[in-house]
Amino acid sequence: MSTYGIDLGTTYSCIARLDSNGNPEVIRNNEDNSNTLASVVFFENENNVIVGQVAKDNIETDGHRVVQFVKREIGKPTNRTYEFDDKVYTPVEISALILTRLKNIVESQGDTIDDVVITVPAYFGLEERSATKQAGELAGLNVLSLINEPTAAALSYCARQFQEDRTILVYDLGGGTFDVTIIKMSMTEEGGVQKIKVLATGGEDVLGGKDWDDKLYDFILRACCEENGLSPEDLDAETRQDIRSKVEESKRKLSQKEKAKVRIDVNGSRTEIVITRKDFELMTADLVGRTMNYVESTLQKVPDIEIDTVLLVGGSTYMPMIKEAVEARFPGKVQQHDPDQAVAKGAAIYASMLGLAVENDTADETGSESSDDIPTDDKRAELAAKFTVEDQTPRSFGPGVVDTKGTKHKYILENFIKIGEKMPAIATKTYYPIEDNQERVRLRAFENMSMDDSLIPCVNEEGEPQATDPAHNVKLLGELIVNLPPNTPKTTKIQVTFKVDASGVHVEAINTATGDKFETFLRTASDVDIDNSAVHQLRISSD
Ligand code: ADP
Ligand code: MG
């Protein structure tokens, strides 16, 4: 039995475990001759579903039967589905196909895979997290936990070298997303335990290696047309697919060499195009600039912070132009080790730590495992003692309540718990019924990206949609109905508690006059079942 760490990426996924010396190692995808697996699924026909490079090679010619970038859809309110051969697939099911393929890679090399940790972006909300976990379960994996990608990258980095207190900026440029995360790693007084805490996140989910590919594709396509005196419309689908399939390879070559040659069959005649690294850097300079702007705006979220180390993560940081730009901004602070594998390796370290805890819990019944392939318990205990990953709230949470001060009542969201608090996070506040003899209270729970104490939510007290700053990403999670006994005065104190942990939000309301307790557990926004027949709310002040 082994525990594995999985980086379920937007464009490439990767799976790793600890070797017998306790060092993280990636399980190679021999079929594609790569350390990673393209997160692309090709539904060739009803009996044949292909995941990986072969699926990716079919994008241009059979694009209508190929699914890519599914991570952008997982757990999103759009509820997008994909239909092939009269079967409908959800993003969770497509993700499960990718995870199953990773599982098969491990099994084809003679190991069994039981417990896993899957990584998610630091900015994923509860719903995206819960959907990712579901995908793992659907693939037959026991998901011990999820871990934030930059935290995993920092774990793999600090497994390499002993660290004192550090503030780390993780610059993660992948295939389809760019994430900046500022992380604090600290040592506790006793016994050198590392703590990892996320301080700020930023970036864009439609900026990545694909944008560099697109620029190169346009460049090669134009060059082919010029060489052959054609216009772009004259190129057939095969020629386009030929260019598309060579773009990424040429980009990778340019990370190592000053020049790359591409041979394309243009309508039957062979055309050779030479691209220099300089050309490539010139045509993509604006993209590099955009990433650096996100670095600056994320730094502004934590004023006066001093960055000690910058970690380059994500396959696209292999491009020399990235390292140069980041080095110029943070001279002498940049580190880069296996950028496309660091996240999976960190997840493997974490999985092993958690796996050890699980085994210790059940050791009496099962006895301890011994195998040459898995690290010794001593080695794992050493690792487990070294780090604690402080789980933090990925969003802010709170109830919608009415502010009755002033001439006009205002329905507002009060943030009880804010992004980045240590989980489980718990907060309580007292509210009051709006009027005497109110029969019930409909207490709505929201998640959002704001650090403000209060804000306007995305619905008003009647449950109608409201204009709200999209950057705050306010989402209604659900509601708790609190029934009040007859003749309840409006001065009755109703104590509201929110408790957030990795599995969801627990909302509780206690009528302090009667001791009646009402509670609900909200895991995802799909739990929402709003009844708009009557308006019954709570107000902030007693006067
Ligand atoms: P994800 O974004 O899915 O987490 P990765 O971090 O593995 O995936 O990044 C994938 C991106 O990295 C792809 O756009 C790929 O083309 C690019 N990439 C991988 N290796 C190189 C390389 N040597 N040079 C340039 N780009 C690379
Ligand atoms: Mg990634």
Side-chain angles (χ1 to χ4, degrees):
M1 187 193 94
S2 298
T3 45
Y4 284 81
I6 296 178
D7 170 5
L8 182 61
T10 311
T11 58
Y12 285 90
S13 298
C14 185
I15 183 159
R17 66 170 176 187
L18 298 196
D19 67 15
S20 52
N21 295 317
N23 296 318
E25 64 172 3
V26 160
I27 314 302
R28 213 172 148 71
N29 167 13
N30 290 326
E31 218 166 285
D32 295 338
N33 193 22
S34 169
N35 286 317
T36 56
L37 171 75
S39 308
V40 184
V41 185
F42 174 37
F43 292 82
E44 188 186 23
N45 56 52
E46 56 191 313
N47 302 315
N48 199 24
V49 178
I50 301 165
V51 183
Q53 191 54 45
V54 173
K56 197 172 157 76
D57 291 340
N58 279 277
I59 291 170
E60 210 70 18
T61 45
D62 297 281
H64 60 292
R65 295 191 72 92
V66 175
V67 181
Q68 53 174 344
F69 307 123
V70 71
K71 189 171 173 179
R72 289 189 179 147
E73 305 294 336
I74 199 161
K76 293 288 188 302
T78 46
N79 285 328
R80 178 160 177 200
T81 54
Y82 310 82
E83 193 179 332
F84 302 102
D85 306 307
D86 301 324
K87 265 180 86 180
V88 175
Y89 297 84
T90 63
V92 167
E93 288 165 331
I94 304 272
S95 304
L97 290 170
I98 299 167
L99 290 167
T100 303
R101 175 71 205 284
L102 289 171
K103 186 172 174 242
N104 293 343
I105 289 174
V106 169
E107 287 169 349
S108 71
Q109 297 179 27
D111 200 3
T112 53
I113 171 166
D114 302 279
D115 298 336
V116 299
V117 164
I118 304 176
T119 64
V120 288
Y123 57 80
F124 258 23
L126 286 182
E127 212 172 349
E128 292 101 316
R129 283 166 200 264
S130 138
T132 303
K133 201 162 175 228
Q134 261 178 42
E137 283 155 6
L138 203 57
L141 301 167
N142 179 33
V143 185
L144 287 177
S145 177
L146 303 175
I147 183 173
N148 288 337
E149 284 158 13
T151 307
L155 264 180
S156 90
Y157 162 75
C158 67
R160 301 178 64 89
Q161 53 199 109
F162 188 73
Q163 289 299 324
E164 65 275 19
D165 281 11
R166 298 231 126 206
T167 305
I168 299 174
L169 186 143
V170 180
Y171 175 110
D172 181 351
L173 185 62
T177 54
F178 175 59
D179 301 319
V180 190
T181 316
I182 300 171
I183 285 176
K184 176 104 195 149
M185 294 185 70
S186 44
M187 297 288 246
T188 54
E189 297 283 307
E190 66 293 339
V193 174
Q194 294 267 7
K195 278 197 171 184
I196 300 180
K197 191 175 164 134
V198 176
L199 300 181
T201 65
E204 191 181 322
D205 63 0
V206 281
L207 175 62
K210 188 181 177 300
D211 297 281
W212 273 260
D213 296 344
D214 288 348
K215 297 259 185 184
L216 201 51
Y217 175 85
D218 287 345
F219 178 88
I220 298 173
L221 190 136
R222 258 187 286 119
C224 281
C225 288
E226 260 168 45
E227 285 284 314
N228 294 282
L230 300 168
S231 65
E233 304 83 65
D234 300 331
L235 298 182
D236 54 24
E238 278 73 30
T239 307
R240 286 166 188 274
Q241 172 67 46
D242 194 22
I243 299 175
R244 184 58 79 185
S245 63
K246 284 170 181 158
V247 156
E248 207 175 327
E249 194 193 326
S250 317
K251 178 182 73 174
R252 289 178 197 239
K253 275 189 197 152
L254 287 170
S255 293
Q256 294 187 337
K257 305 194 301 178
E258 297 283 339
K259 257 187 207 164
K261 272 188 203 154
V262 211
R263 289 192 189 91
I264 309 283
D265 278 328
V266 182
N267 302 350
S269 78
R270 173 159 288 202
T271 304
E272 189 174 279
I273 311 286
V274 177
I275 314 136
T276 65
R277 188 188 284 169
K278 195 94 219 114
D279 284 340
F280 184 46
E281 291 181 349
L282 282 173
M283 69 181 100
T284 55
D286 60 319
L287 298 173
V288 180
R290 265 164 72 191
T291 70
M292 295 313 290
N293 289 343
Y294 284 113
V295 168
E296 296 307 330
S297 59
T298 310
L299 280 168
Q300 278 164 19
K301 292 182 186 174
V302 270
D304 304 324
I305 202 114
E306 173 80 31
I307 300 293
D308 302 308
T309 302
V310 178
L311 286 188
L312 294 183
V313 178
S316 297
T317 65
Y318 278 120
M319 293 186 291
M321 66 178 100
I322 299 299
K323 197 165 181 189
E324 280 158 25
V326 182
E327 269 283 354
R329 173 65 179 79
F330 301 96
K333 294 182 174 175
V334 180
Q335 298 249 3
Q336 186 183 38
H337 306 281
D338 304 330
D340 53 348
Q341 300 159 40
V343 170
K345 286 180 176 176
I349 294 171
Y350 190 52
S352 185
M353 282 156 51
L354 295 175
L356 182 73
V358 171
E359 273 170 35
N360 284 346
D361 276 357
T362 55
D364 292 346
E365 300 127 58
T366 59
S368 60
E369 298 274 341
S370 70
S371 154
D372 287 346
D373 290 343
I374 58 170
T376 59
D377 281 356
D378 282 356
K379 206 61 196 168
R380 293 204 281 176
E382 197 183 299
L383 266 176
K386 221 159 134 191
F387 314 109
T388 49
V389 176
E390 199 168 272
D391 242 349
Q392 288 156 62
T393 49
R395 290 283 192 277
S396 299
F397 299 92
V401 289
V402 176
D403 183 356
T404 50
K405 286 194 204 109
T407 47
K408 206 161 175 273
H409 287 189
K410 267 197 314 209
Y411 187 62
I412 59 167
L413 190 175
E414 289 214 308
N415 269 334
F416 274 29
I417 290 163
K418 297 203 184 133
I419 302 173
E421 285 185 30
K422 188 176 171 189
M423 291 202 285
I426 183 159
T428 297
K429 204 169 165 181
T430 300
Y431 295 105
Y432 306 85
I434 300 263
E435 54 195 19
D436 289 329
N437 309 323
Q438 187 169 320
E439 285 169 12
R440 57 180 182 147
V441 168
R442 303 178 52 225
L443 187 67
R444 296 205 169 98
F446 295 91
E447 80 168 25
N448 64 90
M449 293 284 273
S450 167
M451 292 297 281
D452 297 338
D453 291 337
S454 72
L455 67 161
I456 309 280
C458 54
V459 296
N460 62 18
E461 57 192 293
E462 277 93 30
E464 291 160 349
Q466 286 258 100
T468 171
D469 183 348
H472 291 151
N473 217 340
V474 178
K475 202 190 273 174
L476 180 61
L477 288 175
E479 67 176 16
L480 173 67
I481 301 291
V482 180
N483 292 313
L484 301 173
N487 307 320
T488 298
K490 67 177 195 178
T491 51
T492 306
K493 289 182 174 160
I494 312 287
Q495 205 180 66
V496 176
T497 301
F498 269 57
K499 183 178 167 208
V500 180
D501 64 23
S503 55
V505 185
H506 184 231
V507 183
E508 184 186 279
I510 297 176
N511 178 341
T512 59
T514 60
D516 290 346
K517 186 163 137 184
F518 302 83
E519 55 194 327
T520 188
F521 182 72
L522 304 166
R523 190 190 303 274
T524 72
S526 55
D527 293 342
V528 182
D529 181 15
I530 299 285
D531 152 29
N532 278 324
S533 56
V535 180
H536 294 291
Q537 306 293 338
L538 285 177
R539 66 202 167 101
I540 292 174
S541 59
S542 57
D543 38 67

